[in-house]
Amino acid sequence: MTAPTTPPKTAPAAPLVVSADDLVALVSRIFAAAGLAEEAATTVADGLVEADLEGQPSHGVMLVDMYVDRLRAGSLSTAATATVVSDRGPCVVLDAGNAFGHLTGPQSIDIAVARARKQGVGIVAVRHGFHFGTARRYALRAVDQGCIGITMCNTRPLMPAPGGAERLVGNNPVAIAVPTDDAVPLVLDMATSEAAMGKIRLAEKASQPIPATWAVQADGSPTTDARQAIAGMLLPAAGPKGFGLALMIDLFCGLLSGGASGDRVRPLYGDPGIPYDCSHLFMAIDVGHFCELSWFRAQAAAAANRIRDGKRAPGVAELFTPGEPEWRARQNANRTIRLDGAVARSLIKVAEDLHISAAPLRAIADDPSTEKHYAKT
Amino acid sequence: MTAPTTPPKTAPAAPLVVSADDLVALVSRIFAAAGLAEEAATTVADGLVEADLEGQPSHGVMLVDMYVDRLRAGSLSTAATATVVSDRGPCVVLDAGNAFGHLTGPQSIDIAVARARKQGVGIVAVRHGFHFGTARRYALRAVDQGCIGITMCNTRPLMPAPGGAERLVGNNPVAIAVPTDDAVPLVLDMATSEAAMGKIRLAEKASQPIPATWAVQADGSPTTDARQAIAGMLLPAAGPKGFGLALMIDLFCGLLSGGASGDRVRPLYGDPGIPYDCSHLFMAIDVGHFCELSWFRAQAAAAANRIRDGKRAPGVAELFTPGEPEWRARQNANRTIRLDGAVARSLIKVAEDLHISAAPLRAIADDPSTEKHYAKT
């Protein structure tokens, strides 16, 4: 049965609905074939697919082909762990040696948590790091152990100083998670730019103007034109505030680790032979060293409920706590992912280049009885 | 000699130029007369006058009459120190007992620094706190000891959640300072609102529209009308980002201290008999526990210079590092302050109510040969 509105299965924009478990299995096989140990390959795959489930495809399996390019070119290591550079009480410096942030990230936050459980606080700074996916994952891992979790990393320069006309700091993200009794994790995960480049690209496609706070032209002049913005630079969130935060994150990550900061961090999508070389910082604060964890959790849950139950502006249907949109996306996903057609094809290509089966993507794409898996967007 | 453009010396808006040292002396006498020990009175006066010198009059001597009202009404204590509630390694909880934040702030950050110098990190959470002036002062005090300094506090709810129509979190400030070789201190000091209420009041006076990102009407609807904004609510910086940060600061300060968060923090300018009851958090990270302090300082200075020497957008004369505007204001002030006429009169009144001499304000205001001290704004 073929409905006339069903798009052709090879159309570039047609998303495929795939099971998360099948996708984890495929991506695991890809990374294992590219040289990672089996467990490490699964950990990386889990992290990527989780981002897709949370409605964050920019941190999802769309990264696989770039990761594999970098593994092949040697700028990304197949090692599963970072090595200890220095270890002084709650303060630890690690060298990730260009290993996957998806692997050194859990290692780093677990060290921070172990120190925090014993000494109240743990801070782990990581040099020669690589992309670690969403920062929220590591912050939430600390929460599972009764700790406040804080994660940061730097990126190459993307944003000018307020009034500037050249890229000086990355849109360096920070995630902060706190323990709560609420069913929904309470976690802030923010880049320090006012808006994501993806939103500007959407405005360009829709021929819509963008707010003047989102970006500037290449010479630093204001713009509300998405095309000029794409050729220009992202602006920091709330101007000098986001710029100052981004700078502090760059210095925390790059300097405390003795690693790279500023333009010594390279483009993620640049030459795959040149290490990305970002720096990370992980902090855990054991709540029990300050107050009763159960009281803290109850109070945090009450604060979340005050937000959710708060009065709403006209036309607003619901209010969300920080981290709730990602949690809801995950609940609604029901372990299935609507994969962008171009991403699906890139995965098939990577898999076949590595002489492994691209099932289940191929099966879905090839089987004429599976039109139901297609959806229009 | 009286120039015809000189405004009458009793005009409400005429600012007085006074020496910072004279102002510290006067304000010290005021607080001593109101019950503070002499050294404590001078410390509070120094903190207030420093804010005026740094171009932050909202944190300056304009607060004196409210502070004195609260001392008289008993909601602000004359005690000079906070007491220790708990002390576990790098984690300390203090009870300020409604003493001046200007007094318990230095005490708190000094404890955090002492722990950091010994153990790498120190975190001091303070319950039953009072207004501490600018957050940057305490963060910079840690920098003087080779530490990164971080200061936060909560305020009563002022901002809605994105899409909300009631005040849920304060515009809770955070300051972050890092050691640097640069002559200019490198310090971010930001409230988590998009704009300060003072800027909205200026727009109202000038009958100018405000950006839609600054505030909403009382029912949560968007507005660019300053009057509607003043009757409404401040918006968080960059929407959900500033809201999330403000919430996390509220929970860090209020919960780790076992103190007040959310609407349990009272209005600063509310009933002077009811304690303000904010909570503070101070953190120090000893740089030497991670890397060479001299290297960190040199790298931080290089980052500052990259900002200052960066390419500028058309029409932009200079680029500033975080904290540089306040530093410049202070350099330019040359230990003199242009005091708002209404603030000067409130100080004279407070002083005379306490039966102490209001010199030098009275002298300047009364002496016809001192018109040169007046300036139009």
Side-chain angles (χ1 to χ4, degrees):
Chain A
M1 190 188 79
T2 311
T5 52
T6 303
K9 65 186 173 200
T10 55
L16 289 166
V17 176
V18 295
S19 105
D21 297 331
D22 286 347
L23 197 55
V24 167
L26 172 63
V27 173
S28 299
R29 283 197 303 274
I30 288 174
F31 287 126
L36 259 65
E38 203 166 304
E39 192 186 331
T42 304
T43 302
V44 177
D46 270 333
L48 294 171
V49 171
E50 189 172 350
D52 280 309
L53 286 170
E54 290 176 344
Q56 307 276 309
S58 60
H59 290 72
V61 297
M62 68 161 279
L63 295 159
V64 170
D65 62 346
M66 181 268 289
Y67 284 5
V68 170
D69 282 350
R70 284 186 167 276
L71 281 167
R72 279 190 181 131
S75 74
L76 179 52
S77 160
T78 55
T81 51
T83 56
V84 176
V85 175
S86 69
D87 186 342
R88 296 183 65 184
C91 308
V92 177
V93 176
L94 300 181
D95 185 336
N98 303 307
F100 277 89
H102 289 273
L103 302 174
T104 61
Q107 177 192 6
S108 304
I109 192 68
D110 287 353
I111 293 172
V113 166
R115 301 300 158 106
R117 293 303 297 266
K118 207 171 151 192
Q119 301 173 63
V121 192
I123 302 180
V124 177
V126 184
R127 63 172 72 156
H128 304 316
F130 185 67
H131 196 249
F132 61 24
T134 62
R136 53 182 268 130
R137 297 186 81 212
Y138 312 104
L140 284 169
R141 198 166 163 118
V143 160
D144 293 340
Q145 302 293 316
C147 292
I148 291 170
I150 303 177
T151 315
M152 309 173 187
C153 80
N154 58 9
T155 77
R156 71 181 173 114
L158 290 168
M159 312 191 296
E166 65 177 310
R167 294 161 193 233
L168 278 175
V169 291
N171 61 347
N172 307 328
V174 55
I176 305 173
V178 297
T180 176
D181 280 339
D182 201 55
V184 184
L186 191 52
V187 52
L188 170 70
D189 186 356
M190 58 174 270
T192 43
S193 51
E194 179 78 16
M197 186 53 86
K199 280 174 109 174
I200 299 177
R201 292 195 192 282
L202 285 178
E204 186 207 20
K205 277 184 194 164
S207 302
Q208 295 285 333
I210 58 169
T213 49
W214 285 15
V216 286
Q217 300 180 47
D219 73 347
S221 303
T223 188
T224 58
D225 181 274
R227 204 172 307 186
Q228 285 184 330
I230 291 165
M233 293 169 282
L234 290 175
L235 277 175
K241 299 183 182 193
F243 178 76
L245 274 178
L247 177 69
M248 291 301 174
I249 294 170
D250 193 35
L251 300 181
F252 278 24
C253 295
L255 301 192
L256 290 182
S257 73
S261 60
D263 62 7
R264 290 172 53 216
V265 182
R266 311 300 305 168
L268 186 58
Y269 279 90
D271 183 335
I274 298 176
Y276 179 45
D277 204 12
C278 69
S279 308
H280 308 147
L281 194 93
F282 300 87
M283 188 184 310
I285 300 171
D286 182 56
V287 168
H289 272 72
F290 290 88
C291 62
E292 279 293 328
L293 177 60
S294 58
W295 179 80
F296 186 107
R297 290 171 56 98
Q299 295 292 317
N305 281 327
R306 277 194 299 274
I307 294 168
R308 223 171 269 130
D309 300 340
K311 267 199 272 182
R312 301 186 304 274
V316 173
E318 284 183 291
L319 298 177
F320 301 107
T321 54
E324 186 165 354
E326 293 84 354
W327 179 83
R328 287 201 180 203
R330 191 182 179 133
Q331 300 295 111
N332 293 337
N334 195 27
R335 297 294 297 166
T336 60
I337 289 165
R338 292 156 58 97
L339 207 56
D340 176 79
V343 172
R345 278 198 308 284
S346 84
L347 283 179
I348 291 171
K349 182 171 183 317
V350 170
E352 294 183 347
D353 284 355
L354 289 162
H355 309 292
I356 61 172
S357 162
L361 296 193
R362 207 29 118 192
I364 294 169
D366 289 349
D367 181 352
S369 74
T370 58
E371 287 95 348
K372 66 181 181 296
H373 290 288
Y374 293 101
K376 285 169 291 181
T377 46
Chain B
M1 190 187 81
T2 312
T5 52
T6 303
K9 65 188 174 199
T10 53
L16 289 167
V17 176
V18 295
S19 107
D21 297 332
D22 286 348
L23 197 55
V24 167
L26 172 64
V27 173
S28 298
R29 282 197 303 273
I30 288 175
F31 286 126
L36 259 66
E38 204 167 304
E39 192 187 331
T42 304
T43 302
V44 177
D46 270 333
L48 293 172
V49 171
E50 189 172 350
D52 280 308
L53 286 170
E54 289 175 346
Q56 308 276 309
S58 61
H59 290 72
V61 297
M62 68 162 276
L63 296 159
V64 170
D65 61 346
M66 181 267 289
Y67 284 6
V68 170
D69 281 351
R70 284 186 167 276
L71 280 167
R72 279 190 181 132
S75 73
L76 178 54
S77 160
T78 56
T81 52
T83 56
V84 177
V85 175
S86 69
D87 185 343
R88 296 184 65 184
C91 308
V92 177
V93 176
L94 300 181
D95 185 336
N98 304 307
F100 277 90
H102 289 272
L103 301 174
T104 62
Q107 177 192 9
S108 303
I109 191 68
D110 287 353
I111 293 172
V113 166
R115 302 299 158 105
R117 294 302 297 268
K118 205 169 151 194
Q119 302 173 60
V121 192
I123 303 180
V124 177
V126 184
R127 64 172 73 155
H128 304 317
F130 184 66
H131 196 250
F132 62 24
T134 63
R136 51 181 270 132
R137 298 187 80 212
Y138 312 102
L140 284 169
R141 199 166 162 118
V143 160
D144 293 340
Q145 303 291 317
C147 292
I148 292 170
I150 303 176
T151 315
M152 310 174 187
C153 79
N154 59 8
T155 77
R156 71 181 171 118
L158 291 167
M159 312 190 298
E166 65 177 311
R167 294 162 191 232
L168 277 175
V169 292
N171 61 347
N172 306 330
V174 55
I176 306 173
V178 298
T180 176
D181 279 339
D182 200 54
V184 185
L186 192 51
V187 52
L188 170 70
D189 186 355
M190 58 174 270
T192 43
S193 52
E194 179 79 17
M197 186 53 84
K199 280 174 109 173
I200 299 177
R201 291 196 193 280
L202 285 179
E204 187 207 19
K205 278 184 193 166
S207 301
Q208 295 284 332
I210 57 169
T213 50
W214 285 15
V216 286
Q217 299 179 48
D219 73 346
S221 302
T223 187
T224 58
D225 181 274
R227 203 171 309 186
Q228 284 183 331
I230 290 166
M233 294 169 280
L234 290 175
L235 278 175
K241 300 183 182 192
F243 178 75
L245 275 178
L247 178 69
M248 291 302 174
I249 294 170
D250 193 36
L251 300 181
F252 279 24
C253 296
L255 301 193
L256 290 182
S257 73
S261 60
D263 62 7
R264 289 173 52 215
V265 182
R266 311 301 305 169
L268 187 57
Y269 279 90
D271 183 336
I274 299 175
Y276 179 45
D277 205 11
C278 69
S279 308
H280 308 147
L281 194 93
F282 300 87
M283 189 183 313
I285 301 171
D286 182 56
V287 168
H289 272 72
F290 290 89
C291 62
E292 279 293 330
L293 176 61
S294 58
W295 178 81
F296 186 107
R297 289 171 56 98
Q299 295 292 316
N305 281 326
R306 278 195 299 276
I307 295 168
R308 224 171 268 130
D309 300 340
K311 267 199 272 184
R312 302 187 303 274
V316 173
E318 285 182 291
L319 299 177
F320 302 107
T321 54
E324 187 165 354
E326 292 85 354
W327 179 84
R328 288 203 180 204
R330 190 181 179 133
Q331 299 296 111
N332 294 337
N334 194 26
R335 297 293 296 166
T336 60
I337 289 165
R338 292 158 57 97
L339 207 57
D340 176 81
V343 172
R345 278 196 308 283
S346 84
L347 283 178
I348 290 171
K349 182 173 185 314
V350 170
E352 294 183 347
D353 283 357
L354 289 162
H355 308 293
I356 61 173
S357 162
L361 296 193
R362 214 17 124 194
I364 294 170
D366 290 348
D367 181 351
S369 73
T370 58
E371 286 93 351
K372 67 182 181 295
H373 290 289
Y374 293 102
K376 284 170 292 183
T377 48

